[in-house]
Amino acid sequence: MNLTRNIFRIVTSAALSRTPTHLIKGHPQRTLMDGGISAIKTENSGDEFLKEALVILMQDAVQKGTDRGHKVCEWMEPEKLHEILDLKLQRNGESQEVLLGYCRDIVRFSVKTGHPRFFNQLFSGLDRHALTGRILSETLNTSQYTYEVAPVFVLMEEEVLTTLRHYVGWTAGDGIFCPGGSISNMYAINVARFHRFPHAKEKGLSALPRMTIFTTHESHYSVRKGAAFLGIGTDNIILVQTNDRGKMLPEDLEKKIEKSKSEGAVPFLVSATCGTTVLGAFDPIADIADVCERHGLWLHADAAFGGSALLSSKHRHLLHGIERANSVTWNPHKMLGVGLQCSAFLLPDTTGLLQRCHAANATYLFQTDKFYDLKYDTGDKSIQCGRRVDCLKLWLMWKALGSQGLEKRVDKALEQTRYLVEEMKAREGFCLIMEPEFVNLCFWYVPPSLRDQQDSPDYWQRLGKVAPVIKERMIKKGSMMVGYQPHGDRVNFFRQVLVNPALTKTDLDFFLDEIELLAEDL
Amino acid sequence: MNLTRNIFRIVTSAALSRTPTHLIKGHPQRTLMDGGISAIKTENSGDEFLKEALVILMQDAVQKGTDRGHKVCEWMEPEKLHEILDLKLQRNGESQEVLLGYCRDIVRFSVKTGHPRFFNQLFSGLDRHALTGRILSETLNTSQYTYEVAPVFVLMEEEVLTTLRHYVGWTAGDGIFCPGGSISNMYAINVARFHRFPHAKEKGLSALPRMTIFTTHESHYSVRKGAAFLGIGTDNIILVQTNDRGKMLPEDLEKKIEKSKSEGAVPFLVSATCGTTVLGAFDPIADIADVCERHGLWLHADAAFGGSALLSSKHRHLLHGIERANSVTWNPHKMLGVGLQCSAFLLPDTTGLLQRCHAANATYLFQTDKFYDLKYDTGDKSIQCGRRVDCLKLWLMWKALGSQGLEKRVDKALEQTRYLVEEMKAREGFCLIMEPEFVNLCFWYVPPSLRDQQDSPDYWQRLGKVAPVIKERMIKKGSMMVGYQPHGDRVNFFRQVLVNPALTKTDLDFFLDEIELLAEDL
């Protein structure tokens, strides 16, 4: 009943909000900042609309969206939200006022992933320089295939990739930005396969022996998706054992490679992980590289999450040996917070492998009689045709902060993780899954009623039900968001991820207090 | 010499531009539009920077970038541009003034794809509502995998896909937005394969017979890229003959399917095209569907470009029979101009095929004990993990214009193509490759010295060198951009594409005059 009335109020206020009162011309609300957007002469109503929408964006999404005084999310049941948002597309267009109201509602009911208390994914935060780069990319709206249509971005992508490769430890090489880490990991599978069997491109896999991929059960699910998509088959992924911290055991890798060979398959790729999704584990790359070299396997390092630790002289040891990999996935949209998507696929190869593996030489795009050097038409390295500009946001943020600034962010995230670990140890109810080595802090919260009940036969079953309840409560309250999952034999536990550069000690204390508060009656 | 001096001037002016004079506080330049961005109180320098960058964006990228009084591009040799842009990433960060100067230079040297005289790709224009949607998506920066983190966009994506399916002719079905048409076409290959051999996902192709795909040489190169990437092999693409307009011949398709079967292969997919990249040809879907039904093949319609004609009651006949396809690719980022990327993969299937084909059921993301209906967690249909929000820009533009407004845009583009055809016929030197049926207008420009020389033995060789020269001149002048290519037996010809909704008759006359002017001494 209450809910229904609440909904009614929301609908009403949403409808009212479609006359954005603060935008009325001549409104006295001003600051010292003159000569901004309002000073721009606009010639058409589209520009006028865009300007007004930018005001909503700045106020509601950027400022309130990152303000601790506002909620992380405003929960609404799907059916109710559908009703409120008036999503249906119609024959006639709407007025600018109604459209601005939609913009306001979209922001209102969207999760504020830039909020300091959004801990739900491997990304969080709203870096203003990166955002500027993203908005510029959107406005310039070009495709990263030829120098002709993307002169600035072809050069910029190469510069950014060169810098990322430098941090991997390579003075030369190749690379490309891909639509997310999953697809970067699929590039690794394809390039490794092409490297082993160049005629796979033309002949396909039905002409080849069964090929096998080695990874652990801690690795990202894109290895499975990739094996399926690329025709390798998920049964041909061989899971290598891990130690109790989730790190690949090189001895078991070697054993499994030999076994697979003895069964008539062709082992061709090891996909090791630097910073696993749940535990934040780093596979021992150097030892794995030894095994790969002995057996002639391609070593891919999925450093989508952990790659950013390479920027820290203090923590880059976590990826010790990564320069021995044949390819690397590194997603600056995760820990560096440049915004979805920004995923680099990097390799030390200087023989044009990426180009040969993927090129289709379309004559309508990659003409061979252009008046400039064709090496600048880099698009045929990609499996895509139109490809978004993903380099500018990272480039601009890097220019703003410098490598030094980025290094500080990484160091701070790891320090904050340590702080949170110590605080958890000092409080009752927080039970660490393990000491973290990165910024993933995995823990059970044992609510008052379950403390000292570990010998009870249904203890684990009951504990497994705690995280979902706390999660539901925090979302409905909108105070923060953090992920949980079951994992192997372990029942549901929280995974706290500390990557938002705006985080303060107060936010971490708030996090602990809030978990306690949300679970005090459990 | 002159060039060197020019470069020097540019470097100097670029350096100077890093103190953006019009942004100095209290500058008197104002209009009646108060209460805009300048009225926003900012609490940190990041917001201040963002605001100032938005001003550059509005003035330089949005307004000048679409203004006929400004150039489409400002050509610079790659090496020179690299020098000017100061791309190198350093240890220390730069001041806000320097960063704003970068933003200005990035806009300056980028191609203005929103400009009415940008005809170079299958996209052009800068719709302000779509741009607003894109900027909002970037700011909210979420991933389209779960209702939990993308409540608004999960619902919105479904609504937009439902509407697109409605125009295809399906009252129910499934779908997803993909990172570009190439990847959408790869989804088609994977889903078709999974439909035929569900155990392909686990077993891989080495356990399957050789499978063949049927398409024409006019189809997009992503079919080739996809066949290679998915392990089918490019040799297993069988090219079906076309008529002289580039349309697939269904009789030849049937013959080739039978031949492939007789050779022991398993034909499983026909990839037909609705609006080919160069000629704008539409394969006869209804007739192809008959053949597919007879032989049990999956019919994919790559309507990446031509799909938008479905919005026009006058022109949707071009895709007659598309409702009989098993899957459709449709890129609203092309003719509808919503901005890269926006590519829908659609299918009439209601059995959850897409989900079963791609799902990996990651427990850290798709928990099964959530407090809301899990059908709203749609991300496991994708081969990606993090997936950008591509629906909002289309949704907002659609809300602004209504289907009626979109239909008008499509109709106008086809009318303008007819106008240009008639004008070309009335002028000397313009030689149509064929009467267009869509918005691709392919023609040779025969410059004065080559007219009436058709019997000369080197005529075609010389004509083939004309387009690259005109193209170089137009880019260096910055007056417009249009693509050219050789195609089959035909030497280089221009492909004019009329999709920018801002185009006027004057732009089309300008286009013709400019070609004549650029080639008058040839």
Side-chain angles (χ1 to χ4, degrees):
Chain A
M1 278 301 122
N2 259 339
L3 188 60
T4 319
R5 247 179 285 133
N6 266 333
I7 296 301
F8 179 74
R9 264 206 301 280
I10 287 162
V11 175
T12 314
S13 83
L16 284 175
S17 79
R18 282 168 200 167
T19 309
T21 49
H22 69 285
L23 290 174
I24 292 167
K25 294 180 188 190
H27 193 281
Q29 187 191 353
R30 289 245 198 94
T31 71
L32 287 174
M33 277 307 304
D34 280 319
I37 286 274
S38 75
I40 298 168
K41 287 185 184 128
T42 53
E43 277 173 30
N44 64 52
S45 63
D47 284 350
E48 209 49 60
F49 173 78
L50 177 56
K51 272 172 56 178
E52 299 202 7
L54 288 175
V55 174
I56 294 174
L57 178 108
M58 283 295 292
Q59 291 183 326
D60 293 5
V62 176
Q63 296 190 320
K64 288 187 198 159
T66 57
D67 181 348
R68 291 170 183 82
H70 289 82
K71 288 182 176 183
V72 173
C73 59
E74 185 156 330
W75 171 256
M76 193 64 57
E77 294 292 336
E79 297 73 18
K80 297 272 152 54
L81 186 57
H82 202 286
E83 218 179 296
I84 291 172
L85 290 176
D86 179 24
L87 288 171
K88 215 163 164 46
L89 297 171
Q90 313 273 9
R91 181 139 185 85
N92 294 311
E94 301 277 10
S95 72
Q96 305 293 335
E97 269 64 37
V98 170
L99 296 171
L100 290 170
Y102 288 141
C103 292
R104 207 181 302 275
D105 287 348
I106 288 163
V107 174
R108 175 173 178 182
F109 293 108
S110 286
V111 171
K112 309 302 180 297
T113 65
H115 198 288
R117 287 161 191 176
F118 177 80
F119 307 104
N120 212 64
Q121 318 297 142
L122 298 185
F123 61 91
S124 178
L126 190 59
D127 183 278
R128 307 304 198 263
H129 294 102
L131 178 60
T132 301
R134 277 141 65 194
I135 293 177
L136 267 177
S137 307
E138 289 295 329
T139 310
L140 294 169
N141 189 44
T142 196
S143 172
Q144 187 92 50
Y145 31 53
T146 61
Y147 184 77
E148 186 178 318
V149 295
V152 172
F153 304 123
V154 162
L155 301 179
M156 189 180 279
E157 179 171 75
E158 194 43 45
E159 194 64 40
V160 174
L161 292 171
T162 300
T163 306
L164 294 177
R165 281 195 303 263
H166 163 79
Y167 280 94
V168 171
W170 297 328
T171 52
D174 206 346
I176 194 164
F177 279 100
C178 298
S182 293
I183 292 182
S184 289
N185 286 342
M186 291 182 197
Y187 270 58
I189 300 177
N190 200 38
V191 172
R193 173 169 74 184
F194 178 78
H195 177 70
R196 183 64 170 263
F197 295 112
H199 63 289
K201 185 176 177 179
E202 289 84 29
K203 297 294 170 200
L205 298 191
S206 62
L208 294 179
R210 187 166 65 86
M211 300 173 79
T212 48
I213 297 173
F214 299 78
T215 195
T216 73
H217 59 90
E218 301 291 328
S219 74
H220 189 255
Y221 69 80
S222 53
V223 180
R224 263 178 299 157
K225 290 212 177 196
F229 198 64
L230 275 77
I232 303 285
T234 53
D235 284 355
N236 294 314
I237 296 175
I238 295 174
L239 293 180
V240 181
Q241 282 176 22
T242 60
N243 68 12
D244 56 2
R245 299 191 55 84
K247 292 167 179 283
M248 187 185 284
L249 292 173
E251 320 78 80
D252 189 57
L253 170 64
E254 186 140 33
K255 218 181 292 172
K256 295 258 165 77
I257 290 173
E258 280 160 2
K259 183 163 180 283
S260 180
K261 280 183 185 171
S262 74
E263 289 165 359
V266 178
F268 76 109
L269 168 69
V270 175
S271 188
T273 314
C274 305
T276 59
T277 314
V278 177
L279 302 178
F282 288 75
D283 286 338
I285 300 287
D287 298 340
I288 294 169
D290 290 341
V291 179
C292 286
E293 276 169 23
R294 274 200 292 279
H295 294 272
L297 267 68
W298 184 280
L299 171 55
H300 174 64
D302 175 4
F305 189 35
S308 299
L310 290 167
L311 295 168
S312 160
S313 51
K314 199 167 163 189
H315 299 291
R316 59 171 290 132
H317 68 88
L318 288 167
L319 301 103
H320 174 65
I322 193 168
E323 72 285 355
R324 293 176 63 191
N326 299 101
S327 59
V328 167
T329 292
W330 178 355
N331 287 11
H333 75 231
K334 292 192 159 72
M335 194 170 187
L336 297 184
V338 297
L340 261 79
Q341 59 204 28
C342 189
S343 174
F345 175 67
L346 305 166
L347 53 177
D349 173 76
T350 53
T351 70
L353 190 63
L354 196 54
Q355 172 82 15
R356 280 179 285 127
C357 179
H358 293 142
N361 305 305
T363 52
Y364 78 91
L365 199 54
F366 304 109
Q367 298 90 335
T368 53
D369 50 10
K370 286 186 179 179
F371 65 94
Y372 59 84
D373 188 341
L374 297 177
K375 77 174 181 194
Y376 293 102
D377 285 358
T378 50
D380 219 13
K381 289 180 186 180
S382 170
I383 60 164
Q384 300 181 273
C385 176
R387 187 164 63 90
R388 289 172 43 82
V389 171
D390 291 331
C391 56
L392 171 55
K393 51 197 167 192
L394 177 56
W395 183 87
L396 194 62
M397 186 178 88
W398 204 308
K399 276 286 190 188
L401 296 173
S403 329
Q404 209 166 27
L406 297 176
E407 179 170 19
K408 272 188 199 153
R409 282 198 181 171
V410 173
D411 289 348
K412 183 183 157 200
L414 277 118
E415 275 160 34
Q416 287 182 325
T417 310
R418 287 315 312 166
Y419 172 80
L420 204 53
V421 165
E422 296 313 318
E423 287 300 302
M424 281 189 183
K425 286 179 183 169
R427 296 196 189 209
E428 229 185 329
F430 290 90
C431 175
L432 286 172
I433 301 289
M434 62 181 62
E435 285 286 333
E437 65 178 319
F438 196 42
V439 292
N440 307 39
L441 213 172
C442 296
F443 67 95
W444 284 294
Y445 183 69
V446 184
S449 73
L450 275 177
R451 290 183 197 156
D452 306 317
Q453 303 283 311
Q454 202 150 345
D455 297 332
S456 146
D458 61 351
Y459 175 80
W460 291 105
Q461 197 197 345
R462 284 165 66 200
L463 184 59
K465 288 180 177 159
V466 170
V469 173
I470 298 178
K471 177 74 180 259
E472 175 173 1
R473 290 176 176 185
M474 74 174 72
I475 286 188
K476 290 187 170 169
K477 185 175 172 189
S479 56
M480 61 184 196
M481 284 178 74
V482 61
Y484 73 85
Q485 63 285 303
H487 185 256
D489 296 338
R490 297 176 180 111
V491 300
N492 280 324
F493 58 86
F494 285 113
R495 178 200 61 176
Q496 162 69 305
V497 188
L498 292 104
V499 289
N500 190 324
L503 279 181
T504 63
K505 189 177 153 300
T506 317
D507 293 314
L508 306 182
D509 294 338
F510 173 87
F511 174 76
L512 299 171
D513 293 344
E514 185 69 6
I515 293 269
E516 286 173 353
L517 187 67
L518 291 167
E520 65 182 351
D521 62 334
L522 296 179
Chain B
M1 278 301 123
N2 260 340
L3 188 63
T4 321
R5 247 180 285 133
N6 267 334
I7 297 301
F8 179 74
R9 264 206 302 280
I10 288 161
V11 174
T12 315
S13 85
L16 285 175
S17 78
R18 283 170 197 163
T19 310
T21 49
H22 70 286
L23 290 175
I24 292 166
K25 295 179 187 188
H27 192 282
Q29 187 191 351
R30 287 245 198 95
T31 70
L32 287 174
M33 279 306 303
D34 281 319
I37 286 275
S38 77
I40 299 166
K41 288 189 182 124
T42 54
E43 278 175 29
N44 65 52
S45 63
D47 284 350
E48 209 48 58
F49 173 79
L50 176 57
K51 272 172 55 179
E52 300 203 6
L54 289 175
V55 174
I56 294 174
L57 179 107
M58 283 295 292
Q59 290 183 328
D60 293 3
V62 176
Q63 296 189 322
K64 290 186 198 161
T66 56
D67 181 346
R68 290 169 183 83
H70 289 82
K71 289 182 176 183
V72 173
C73 58
E74 185 157 331
W75 171 257
M76 192 65 58
E77 294 292 336
E79 297 73 16
K80 299 271 151 54
L81 185 57
H82 201 286
E83 218 179 295
I84 291 171
L85 290 176
D86 179 25
L87 288 171
K88 215 163 166 47
L89 298 171
Q90 314 272 9
R91 182 141 185 83
N92 294 312
E94 301 277 9
S95 73
Q96 305 293 334
E97 268 64 37
V98 170
L99 296 172
L100 290 171
Y102 289 141
C103 292
R104 206 181 301 274
D105 288 346
I106 288 164
V107 174
R108 175 173 179 183
F109 293 107
S110 286
V111 171
K112 309 303 180 297
T113 65
H115 198 287
R117 289 163 188 174
F118 178 79
F119 308 104
N120 212 66
Q121 319 296 144
L122 298 184
F123 61 92
S124 178
L126 190 60
D127 183 278
R128 307 305 199 264
H129 294 102
L131 178 60
T132 301
R134 278 139 67 193
I135 294 176
L136 267 178
S137 306
E138 289 295 329
T139 310
L140 294 169
N141 189 44
T142 196
S143 173
Q144 188 92 49
Y145 32 52
T146 60
Y147 184 79
E148 185 178 317
V149 295
V152 173
F153 304 122
V154 162
L155 301 180
M156 189 179 281
E157 178 170 77
E158 194 42 45
E159 194 64 40
V160 174
L161 292 172
T162 299
T163 306
L164 294 178
R165 281 195 303 262
H166 163 78
Y167 281 93
V168 171
W170 297 328
T171 51
D174 206 346
I176 194 164
F177 279 100
C178 298
S182 294
I183 292 182
S184 290
N185 286 342
M186 292 182 196
Y187 270 57
I189 300 177
N190 200 39
V191 173
R193 175 170 72 186
F194 178 77
H195 177 70
R196 183 65 171 261
F197 294 112
H199 63 287
K201 184 175 177 179
E202 290 84 29
K203 298 293 170 197
L205 297 191
S206 63
L208 293 179
R210 187 166 64 86
M211 300 174 79
T212 48
I213 296 173
F214 298 79
T215 194
T216 74
H217 59 89
E218 301 292 328
S219 74
H220 190 255
Y221 69 80
S222 53
V223 180
R224 264 178 299 157
K225 290 212 178 197
F229 199 64
L230 275 76
I232 302 285
T234 52
D235 285 355
N236 294 314
I237 296 176
I238 295 174
L239 293 181
V240 181
Q241 284 176 20
T242 59
N243 67 12
D244 56 3
R245 299 191 55 84
K247 292 167 179 284
M248 186 186 284
L249 292 173
E251 320 79 80
D252 189 57
L253 170 63
E254 186 140 34
K255 218 181 292 172
K256 296 258 164 78
I257 291 173
E258 280 160 2
K259 184 163 180 283
S260 179
K261 281 183 184 170
S262 75
E263 291 166 355
V266 178
F268 76 109
L269 169 67
V270 175
S271 187
T273 315
C274 305
T276 60
T277 314
V278 177
L279 303 178
F282 288 75
D283 287 336
I285 301 288
D287 296 343
I288 294 169
D290 289 341
V291 178
C292 288
E293 277 170 21
R294 275 200 291 279
H295 294 273
L297 269 68
W298 184 280
L299 172 55
H300 174 63
D302 174 5
F305 189 35
S308 299
L310 290 167
L311 295 168
S312 160
S313 51
K314 199 166 162 188
H315 299 291
R316 58 173 290 129
H317 68 87
L318 288 167
L319 301 103
H320 174 66
I322 194 168
E323 72 286 354
R324 293 176 62 193
N326 299 100
S327 57
V328 167
T329 291
W330 178 354
N331 287 12
H333 75 232
K334 292 192 161 71
M335 194 169 185
L336 297 184
V338 297
L340 262 78
Q341 62 207 27
C342 189
S343 174
F345 176 67
L346 305 166
L347 53 176
D349 172 76
T350 53
T351 71
L353 190 62
L354 195 55
Q355 172 82 15
R356 279 179 285 128
C357 179
H358 293 143
N361 306 304
T363 51
Y364 78 91
L365 199 54
F366 303 108
Q367 298 90 334
T368 52
D369 50 9
K370 285 186 179 179
F371 65 94
Y372 59 84
D373 187 340
L374 297 177
K375 76 174 180 193
Y376 292 103
D377 285 359
T378 51
D380 219 13
K381 290 179 185 179
S382 171
I383 61 164
Q384 300 181 272
C385 175
R387 188 163 63 91
R388 290 171 43 81
V389 171
D390 291 330
C391 57
L392 171 56
K393 50 197 169 192
L394 177 57
W395 182 87
L396 194 61
M397 188 178 86
W398 204 309
K399 276 286 190 188
L401 296 172
S403 330
Q404 209 166 24
L406 297 176
E407 178 170 19
K408 272 187 199 154
R409 281 197 180 172
V410 173
D411 289 348
K412 183 183 157 198
L414 277 118
E415 275 160 34
Q416 288 183 325
T417 309
R418 288 314 314 165
Y419 171 80
L420 204 53
V421 164
E422 297 313 319
E423 287 299 303
M424 281 188 183
K425 286 179 183 168
R427 296 197 189 208
E428 232 185 329
F430 290 90
C431 175
L432 286 172
I433 302 288
M434 63 181 63
E435 285 285 334
E437 66 180 317
F438 196 43
V439 293
N440 307 41
L441 212 172
C442 296
F443 67 94
W444 284 294
Y445 183 69
V446 185
S449 73
L450 275 177
R451 289 182 197 157
D452 305 318
Q453 303 281 311
Q454 202 150 347
D455 296 333
S456 145
D458 61 352
Y459 176 80
W460 291 105
Q461 197 198 345
R462 285 164 65 202
L463 184 60
K465 288 180 177 160
V466 170
V469 173
I470 298 178
K471 177 72 179 260
E472 176 173 359
R473 290 177 177 183
M474 75 174 72
I475 287 188
K476 289 188 170 168
K477 186 175 171 188
S479 55
M480 62 184 195
M481 285 179 74
V482 61
Y484 74 84
Q485 63 284 303
H487 185 256
D489 296 337
R490 296 177 181 110
V491 300
N492 281 325
F493 58 86
F494 286 112
R495 178 200 61 175
Q496 163 68 308
V497 187
L498 293 105
V499 289
N500 190 324
L503 280 181
T504 62
K505 192 178 150 300
T506 316
D507 294 314
L508 305 182
D509 294 337
F510 173 87
F511 174 76
L512 299 171
D513 293 343
E514 186 68 7
I515 293 269
E516 286 173 354
L517 187 68
L518 292 167
E520 65 182 353
D521 62 334
L522 296 179

